[in-house]
Amino acid sequence: MQTFEKYDELRWAIGFDWKIKVNWINPRAYISIMPQFYHRRVMDYPSNYTLSGSEKDNTMATLVISTSYLHNKLTPQFFWMCDISNRANMFIPSLKWEQSHHWNYTLGAVLFTGREEGAGFQVFENKNQIYFTVAYRF
């Protein structure tokens, strides 16, 4: 029989969203930069026990950078998630094109890296993928 153990935990995060103008990258639109930092601490964490692959203290950061071209029809975006505790990363670059109000297309990739065997995103290193979606809005 599987049992669940209760532990108190403290979670907090901080994030900033701002837009900057970089004329040589995009003279007509701003570039959005959105970093975030997360921390999770499990109280009364038992020694030599792994709680779903988590540590007593877990820290993570994310960064999203995006802009738009052609009157918001073409939108490149870059997402980075850094698992600081497990020294692992996930990257999601994508490019979205809105052909019309009804049709839009997205080309992207999901890439994983990790330094510690079996920790963080390292377990997904052989699951990198490239995707293309076609969407129709009614």
Side-chain angles (χ1 to χ4, degrees), residues 8-73:
D8 292 328
E9 65 182 47
L10 173 67
R11 294 182 188 199
W12 66 273
I14 188 168
F16 298 99
D17 296 351
W18 73 86
K19 294 182 178 185
I20 62 171
K21 187 77 164 165
V22 182
N23 286 330
W24 62 273
I25 294 176
N26 192 343
R28 296 186 178 178
Y30 285 90
I31 297 172
S32 297
I33 300 174
M34 298 160 278
Q36 296 178 335
F37 179 82
Y38 306 90
H39 181 254
R40 175 181 176 229
R41 180 176 176 89
V42 180
M43 309 300 184
D44 302 324
Y45 192 84
S47 60
N48 67 18
Y49 179 71
T50 303
L51 187 69
S52 302
S54 299
E55 303 294 329
K56 181 176 183 171
D57 280 294
N58 296 281
T59 53
M60 189 171 291
T62 63
L63 176 66
V64 178
I65 300 172
S66 68
T67 189
S68 63
Y69 296 95
L70 304 173
H71 304 288
N72 295 330
K73 297 288 185 187

Side-chain angles (χ1 to χ4, degrees), residues 71-135:
H71 304 288
N72 295 330
K73 297 288 185 187
L74 187 64
T75 307
Q77 180 172 292
F78 179 77
F79 174 81
W80 172 35
M81 180 182 285
C82 179
D83 183 348
I84 299 167
S85 299
N86 293 305
R87 299 185 315 169
N89 298 288
M90 176 175 63
F91 303 98
I92 306 176
S94 65
L95 183 62
K96 182 177 180 180
W97 177 44
E98 187 173 330
Q99 180 184 9
S100 67
H101 172 71
H102 297 289
W103 291 100
N104 65 58
Y105 311 92
T106 305
L107 174 64
V110 181
L111 309 166
F112 300 98
T113 66
R115 293 187 182 168
E116 296 180 23
E117 186 72 29
F121 297 123
Q122 188 279 331
V123 296
F124 301 111
E125 272 193 328
N126 63 347
K127 300 293 183 188
N128 294 334
Q129 51 189 288
I130 295 173
Y131 64 90
F132 180 72
T133 60
V134 177

